[in-house]
Amino acid sequence: VKGNPYFFDKVGEGKNSWQQNYMNYGIDWFLNEKSSLNFLGEWRNWKGVSDNYHITSHTFMGDELSEYLTSIKDSKDKSNNYYFSLYYNRKFRKDGDDLRLEAYYNQQTGRINNNYTETYLNTEDLLTPLSQIRRSDLTENRRQNGELKFDIAFTLGTLKNEAGYRTYAAWMENDFTERHIIEDVASEEREEFNYLETRQTAYYNLSCKIKKFNWQAGLRGEYSWIEINSENHTDYTVLLPQFTLNQSLPAEQNIKLTYRKQIFRPSINSLNPFETWSD
């Protein structure tokens, strides 16, 4: 790299506070010796506040101070999450054979409001203001998702069979508003990111135990459909096989071989296009 070395440091000091609340409630209803019904509800709340938080940033080119910036940050961050589920279980004659039905719904709302007053100072006297920027960014999120599940396990001879079907849907609405005032000139930009996804999944697994040797094999098929901002659409189907061999050894040891194909999806924070900057 040619030229003088670059060095940057940033120091913050002020009041930051967080508060988190959590509550859950539920009921279990035993219909008979082999059937039960369960309801679960959860509520989570989170709040964060930065009050008059001062930030000082220095930029050096070699030994010379090239930029001096002070910033005051006030921010409020809060979210609420509600979760409800209903679960039914029916046991059969053989141990481990059962039928399971489950439905759940989850909703999360969030709001992040950051306000900054940033002042660039003269690098010689560190007092004279050169320019000032007042800006704020507001992020509002609403996320909903739900799923219906059906699973059954039954034994035929020495083979244990497991099968199931799931349908999943997610709706996400994200709004971002950025405002700033530079040299008394105001500007505002607003962005939206709306995301809709549905998935249909079916699977079948087989497993067997022969003395100290176990094996398991299965296949899961999944169809996904995605819409972004009512303009971009995509859909795809994947087959995800898995296979496991396990051999028990003396002295409570074992050797295991596993193959599994998986799909990894990006989080909503990796998908939305909003830019936030703090320097």
Side-chain angles (χ1 to χ4, degrees):
V1 179
K2 297 181 179 180
N4 294 323
Y6 170 85
F7 176 75
F8 171 80
D9 74 67
K10 177 179 176 180
V11 178
E13 181 179 3
K15 180 181 179 182
N16 291 315
S17 63
W18 297 269
Q19 180 184 19
Q20 185 170 359
N21 303 293
Y22 171 74
M23 179 180 69
N24 68 347
Y25 49 92
I27 184 171
D28 294 317
W29 185 12
F30 297 95
L31 304 173
N32 52 51
E33 292 183 354
K34 295 186 177 182
S35 300
S36 62
L37 186 65
N38 169 267
F39 170 76
L40 174 67
E42 292 183 354
W43 169 72
R44 296 179 184 270
N45 171 265
W46 191 89
K47 294 180 181 179
V49 176
S50 292
D51 185 14
N52 202 31
Y53 191 82
H54 288 257
I55 303 169
T56 303
S57 303
H58 302 83
T59 303
F60 292 88
M61 297 302 293
D63 295 328
E64 182 179 350
L65 179 64
S66 61
E67 185 180 83
Y68 182 50
L69 169 66
T70 64
S71 179
I72 300 175
K73 175 185 176 182
D74 294 292
S75 68
K76 294 182 180 179
D77 183 357
K78 64 178 181 179
S79 67
N80 283 287
N81 190 86
Y82 299 93
Y83 175 87
F84 307 98
S85 73
L86 191 63
Y87 177 78
Y88 172 76
N89 180 247
R90 173 71 165 87
K91 297 180 180 179
F92 300 133
R93 291 183 178 181
K94 291 185 179 181
D95 187 29
D97 292 1
D98 63 354
L99 170 69
R100 302 179 300 277
L101 300 172
E102 182 179 2
Y104 80 80
Y105 169 76
N106 186 76
Q107 176 179 288
Q108 180 183 8
T109 57
R111 192 175 193 269
I112 305 173
N113 190 6
N114 298 315
N115 294 280
Y116 300 89
T117 301
E118 299 171 328
T119 305
Y120 291 86
L121 300 175
N122 189 299
T123 56
E124 295 181 359
D125 60 20
L126 306 183
L127 294 174
T128 306
L130 299 178
S131 63
Q132 187 177 81
I133 301 173
R134 295 192 300 275
R135 64 185 180 88
S136 66
D137 55 68
L138 173 64
T139 305
E140 295 179 291
N141 299 318
R142 186 166 185 247
R143 306 176 186 179
Q144 303 175 81
N145 61 285
E147 188 172 36
L148 296 174
K149 304 179 184 180
F150 168 81
D151 299 281
I152 188 170
F154 58 95
T155 304
L156 294 176
T158 60
L159 286 176
K160 183 172 183 179
N161 299 254
E162 296 175 289
Y165 177 78
R166 301 180 181 183
T167 179
Y168 169 87
W171 308 264
M172 305 180 190
E173 299 173 354
N174 302 263
D175 297 324
F176 180 71
T177 304
E178 193 271 337
R179 303 181 181 92
H180 60 261
I181 301 175
I182 304 176
E183 304 297 337
D184 296 325
V185 178
S187 177
E188 177 177 313
E189 295 183 6
R190 180 181 174 88
E191 296 181 74
E192 292 184 356
F193 180 76
N194 299 313
Y195 183 89
L196 173 63
E197 178 182 5
T198 62
R199 299 179 208 154
Q200 310 298 325
T201 304
Y203 75 91
Y204 197 97
N205 293 333
L206 286 173
S207 61
C208 182
K209 182 177 181 181
I210 305 173
K211 295 183 179 180
K212 295 184 177 182
F213 178 75
N214 296 274
W215 65 266
Q216 184 186 72
L219 180 66
R220 188 167 94 248
E222 196 164 287
Y223 171 76
S224 298
W225 180 87
I226 297 172
E227 176 187 274
I228 297 177
N229 288 344
S230 301
E231 298 176 356
N232 302 298
H233 304 82
T234 188
D235 68 304
Y236 55 91
T237 302
V238 292
L239 293 176
L240 306 172
Q242 61 92 11
F243 186 75
T244 300
L245 298 175
N246 188 82
Q247 175 65 56
S248 297
L249 301 175
E252 298 184 355
Q253 301 180 70
N254 67 77
I255 184 170
K256 187 176 182 179
L257 174 66
T258 298
Y259 168 79
R260 180 185 298 272
K261 187 176 181 181
Q262 294 178 297
I263 181 170
F264 293 92
R265 295 179 174 84
S267 68
I268 190 66
N269 294 327
S270 299
L271 290 173
N272 77 51
F274 308 149
E275 291 185 8
T276 60
W277 48 283
S278 58
D279 296 324

